[in-house]
Amino acid sequence: MEKRNRPEVLAPAGDRERLAAAVQYGADAVYLGGKDFGMRASPLNFTEEELAQAVADCHRQGVKVYVTCNILPRETDLAPLPAYLHFLQEVGVDALIVADVGVMMLCRREIPQMALHMSTQTGVVNHLTACELHRMGAIRVVLARELSLEEIREIRRNTPPELELEAFVHGAMCMSFSGRCVLSNYLTGRDANRGECAQPCRWSYHLMEEKRPGQYFPVFEDEDGSYLLNAKDLCMIEHLDQLADAGIGSFKIEGRAKSFYYVATITNAYRCAVQLLEKNPGRYRLPSWLLEETRKVSHRQYCTGFYFERPEDGQYYENGGYIRTYDVAAVVESYEKGTLFCTQRNRFFPGETLEILAPGRQPSPLVVPAIFDEDGQPLAAARHPMQLLRIPCDRSLPQGTILRRQQQTPVSVER
């Protein structure tokens, strides 16, 4: 597989910390948003100054930056948009992700040299739409999540080879068609199509008969009700060869609202998997440790979405929460003369065995022989988040290496 044809690993970046994790752990490109016009209103996102710095930092390391401009804008959103588009062009953004045809054509008029990617919110499910969008100026389409691999192959066969195809390979899925949902707006007044989704599809529901107010009947035979709209998470790391064979050129990881640890772990897993695919595209076999990495982040139960036709197990009815088996204990800041200098994140103790997550490497154990504070005083435990610590270590680890701690029992985290 030639490098120029190697699938791109596209990672999310909700803020500067997550951006750094994506870049360090192997992303070819990142997608992120400014304070406005993106489909994720809850992450910190980037001010204009931070965005300019992010582009400069990424480009120094050979990483591309795609900026989300993919809300479905109302009239009040339009006036400040041209100035924002010119700003993005000036700072050197590699591409804009847009969903609305009007926004697309505004980009063509205002910043005609900017590369345009059509968002999954556009709902591209056939080659006619893909070809028309390409004719109108798009260089890439992010395919609808509802497509099967066979449908994607057919789209690839009937579209210009220079039109790039991108698809989600990992992360949360929406119960609505390509994210075009009005449920949040209807129930909470928070518009999912303007980045403010309250995720009511993750809530537990009962039925109430109008003449029996206050009496709630379960939709599913369970005393806790039913999470009838709750989708499982997507995980396609075992099938990257089939995705590439179908013509997908960019593997997109969902998660701009997820933690830096999630971004680091999942980006690292897919980077390593793509390298294996590159070495032997005809005989792709995923090592068990890489599959296990996808289970070491906070996640819902996994499935393969619509890629293998209609999913039989895409919904999970018992709860809407995440499964979490690992916590970040500390992050390495530097290594000097047999000592790791770390920033503590969660409590851990001398004598514990942590796991080292370093870019491009299989995880390995680290027995913590002792813990010292920044002044060299011994500690009975690391108890204070963001405290600077020293840990004796016989191997050098790069800055940004994560030391994680396995939970004694898996934790279910409700949304």
Side-chain angles (χ1 to χ4, degrees), residues 1-9 26-28 244 248-251 271 274-279:
M1 183 180 296
E2 296 181 26
K3 187 172 182 180
R4 62 187 175 86
N5 294 324
R6 181 183 70 192
E8 172 186 79
V9 176
D28 295 304
I248 298 169
S250 179
F251 294 161
R271 168 84 282 140
V274 167
Q275 288 173 341
L276 291 173
L277 177 64
E278 185 180 13
K279 289 178 182 177

Side-chain angles (χ1 to χ4, degrees), residues 160-209:
E162 61 270 19
L163 175 64
E164 302 168 5
L165 302 184
E166 178 183 310
F168 282 93
V169 297
H170 196 95
M173 295 194 294
C174 180
M175 53 77 65
S176 183
F177 190 93
S178 294
R180 289 207 175 197
C181 183
V182 297
L183 193 60
S184 175
N185 205 352
Y186 179 75
L187 292 177
T188 71
R190 290 169 54 179
D191 189 348
N193 295 304
R194 299 173 81 193
E196 299 174 345
C197 184
Q199 298 198 17
C201 55
R202 311 297 182 187
W203 300 351
S204 175
Y205 289 92
H206 289 70
L207 288 175
M208 186 178 72
E209 202 276 325

Side-chain angles (χ1 to χ4, degrees), residues 365-383:
L366 173 68
V367 178
V368 179
I371 305 173
F372 301 92
D373 66 17
E374 58 183 315
D375 298 319
Q377 299 300 310
L379 298 173
R383 293 191 176 94

Side-chain angles (χ1 to χ4, degrees), residues 14 64 93 105 107 146 164-165 178 190 208 257 321 339 355 362 372 407:
K64 294 181 179 180
V93 167
M105 300 317 292
C107 292
E146 295 76 21
E164 302 168 5
L165 302 184
S178 294
R190 290 169 54 179
M208 186 178 72
T339 299
E355 194 169 72
Q362 184 173 349
F372 301 92
Q407 297 275 351

Side-chain angles (χ1 to χ4, degrees), residues 48-309:
E48 290 193 354
E49 181 180 353
E50 290 170 340
L51 205 154
Q53 188 63 53
V55 173
D57 292 343
C58 286
H59 286 177
R60 275 196 296 272
Q61 297 175 78
V63 175
K64 294 181 179 180
V65 178
Y66 309 145
V67 171
T68 58
C69 195
N70 58 342
I71 65 167
L72 302 181
R74 302 292 181 89
E75 287 298 316
T76 54
D77 298 315
L78 297 179
L81 188 52
Y84 182 62
L85 296 178
H86 284 283
F87 162 76
L88 295 176
Q89 179 174 259
E90 289 167 7
V91 300
V93 167
D94 294 285
L96 296 189
I97 304 171
V98 301
D100 183 85
V101 173
V103 173
M104 178 192 190
M105 300 317 292
L106 179 66
C107 292
R108 299 296 295 149
R109 291 192 298 272
E110 295 286 337
I111 47 172
Q113 302 307 312
M114 176 65 70
L116 298 178
H117 297 176
M118 299 309 295
S119 169
T120 190
Q121 267 75 29
T122 309
V124 177
V125 294
N126 60 67
H127 78 272
L128 291 176
T129 304
C131 288
E132 283 302 310
L133 291 170
H134 181 247
R135 185 181 63 80
M136 295 165 67
I139 70 161
R140 177 184 296 190
V141 293
V142 186
L143 296 171
R145 303 178 197 227
E146 295 76 21
L147 289 171
S148 69
L149 281 173
E150 194 51 49
E151 289 175 308
I152 293 171
R153 287 190 185 93
E154 193 66 21
I155 291 172
R156 181 70 288 174
R157 281 194 289 266
N158 290 285
T159 49
E162 61 270 19
L163 175 64
E164 302 168 5
L165 302 184
E166 178 183 310
F168 282 93
V169 297
H170 196 95
M173 295 194 294
C174 180
M175 53 77 65
S176 183
F177 190 93
S178 294
R180 289 207 175 197
C181 183
V182 297
L183 193 60
S184 175
N185 205 352
Y186 179 75
L187 292 177
T188 71
R190 290 169 54 179
D191 189 348
N193 295 304
R194 299 173 81 193
E196 299 174 345
C197 184
Q199 298 198 17
C201 55
R202 311 297 182 187
W203 300 351
S204 175
Y205 289 92
H206 289 70
L207 288 175
M208 186 178 72
E209 202 276 325
E210 65 177 344
K211 295 182 180 179
R212 293 178 175 86
Q215 295 186 41
Y216 299 95
F217 302 93
V219 179
F220 185 74
E221 291 184 16
D222 186 305
E223 66 274 13
D224 295 322
S226 174
Y227 292 77
L228 74 167
L229 303 176
N230 182 49
K232 292 182 179 180
D233 283 358
L234 178 67
C235 180
M236 289 294 290
I237 196 167
E238 295 178 274
H239 309 286
L240 298 188
D241 55 338
Q242 293 167 275
L243 295 172
D245 182 67
I248 298 169
S250 179
F251 294 161
K252 189 170 193 172
I253 299 167
E254 183 275 339
R256 279 197 289 142
K258 303 280 180 69
S259 69
F260 85 97
Y261 169 65
Y262 168 94
V263 173
T265 304
I266 298 302
T267 301
N268 191 60
Y270 279 85
R271 168 84 282 140
C272 292
V274 167
Q275 288 173 341
L276 291 173
L277 177 64
E278 185 180 13
K279 289 178 182 177
N280 196 349
R283 299 186 64 184
Y284 175 70
R285 297 291 183 273
L286 189 74
S288 59
W289 73 267
L290 271 178
L291 181 61
E292 186 62 24
E293 282 298 286
T294 66
R295 287 153 172 76
K296 291 181 179 180
V297 298
S298 183
H299 67 284
R300 300 182 185 90
Q301 289 194 7
Y302 284 129
C303 72
T304 55
F306 289 84
Y307 283 113
F308 300 103
E309 303 299 338

Side-chain angles (χ1 to χ4, degrees), residues 346-404:
N346 284 287
R347 188 174 64 166
F348 64 100
F349 300 88
E352 279 199 83
T353 299
L354 303 180
E355 194 169 72
I356 299 169
L357 175 64
R361 304 182 193 176
Q362 184 173 349
S364 58
L366 173 68
V367 178
V368 179
I371 305 173
F372 301 92
D373 66 17
E374 58 183 315
D375 298 319
Q377 299 300 310
L379 298 173
R383 293 191 176 94
H384 306 293
M386 303 309 293
Q387 181 181 11
L388 296 177
L389 304 174
R390 300 182 185 185
I391 300 174
C393 184
D394 60 1
R395 52 192 142 161
S396 176
L397 298 176
Q399 183 182 20
T401 295
I402 293 170
L403 306 180
R404 60 190 177 193

